[in-house]
Amino acid sequence: MRIVYVSADQSYVSFVNWGRGVEEAANILGWKVDILNGRGAVTSTLQAMQQAVASRPDAIITSADASALQSPISQAVAAGIPVIGIHASAFPGPDPKLNLYTNITSNPAEIGETQAAYVLAQSNAEAKVVHFLDNSFAIARFKAKAATDPIKNCKGCTFVDMANIPIADQTQRIPTVISGILANTGNTWWGTTCCDNFFPYVASALRAANVPTDQVKLVGSDGPPSAYDMIRKGEYEVATVPEPSTLFGFQAVDAVVRAAAGQEPSHFVQPTYLVTKENADAEGGEKNEFIPSNNFACHYENIWKGEKKDCSTN
């Protein structure tokens, strides 16, 4: 069996980790994995997906937004190649409209709501909030609504802006966006986001403007190593709602196994988890990743190979 993993952007650690999970899971089964890089832009991701389909793999896994890739995805499905998404659409589970056998993600509403709940609790419901996203991703748009609606409905809060910045344009655009926010809002506000890769650039712009690290407070999502590092050091980011690093890759390979067997996909959805400075070393945090401590790799190997290894002591 051969799988192609079409990454939306291999410069983003979460996409890399999900692909690493695909490789680790495939290795257990003796399968081959090829990785193609969409490089953070729709055009290049479309080319990568077209290349994946043309190579005639047994399955395709992608972290890119599926809505922009419907022509090659439809070709894949027509050729009997199942396509599994990781963050490829807004919701977990099968997505027939987008031709996805299934989509792997945590519940995006819970992620956004968790961000908002933390901000409201820590600010005594008096926060001024900016939300950062790349709205070319459906899941980012859905997270944004869940994260910002509670702020908009909070009488003592102020929703400042929805800062839509394509991932590929972060380096160029974030300094100007931050300058505008500081000029119009001041230097005491909260930031939430669809994905933590915004925040190193936001932090750099804040440092350049000499904003104290305890004035702007950032609450992230996805939980890459940069988020753990910033939270530990107290460099603006105070919390993140991480997605599991390699578990999503194992879930995606399990979906390939199920699709090949003619079964329906699993209904498992990873529960939401919040990382703060107090628990930053738990649940894989010592490796700067969210790795649920249930020894999932061992359990999946037992399922796939029909074995009965003791997974409680590994």
Side-chain angles (χ1 to χ4, degrees), residues 20 225 228 232 280-291:
R20 178 162 57 89
Y228 281 87
R232 283 196 185 93
D281 290 332
E283 297 294 312
E286 73 280 359
K287 297 180 180 179
N288 292 326
E289 300 177 35
F290 175 35
I291 306 174

Side-chain angles (χ1 to χ4, degrees), residues 5-7 49 60-64 69 83-88 100:
Y5 172 59
V6 179
S7 170
M49 183 60 75
I60 296 172
I61 298 170
T62 183
S63 62
L69 305 173
V83 180
I84 291 90
I86 304 178
H87 275 219
L100 296 177

Side-chain angles (χ1 to χ4, degrees), residues 175-224:
T176 302
V177 170
I178 294 302
S179 295
I181 294 170
L182 294 174
N184 295 322
T185 306
N187 62 359
T188 305
W189 45 271
W190 291 73
T192 55
T193 187
C194 67
C195 37
D196 271 303
N197 61 336
F198 284 88
F199 284 168
Y201 302 102
V202 171
S204 178
L206 291 171
R207 282 193 294 269
N210 295 315
V211 176
T213 56
D214 61 347
Q215 294 297 302
V216 172
K217 298 179 180 180
L218 306 175
V219 180
S221 171
D222 284 0

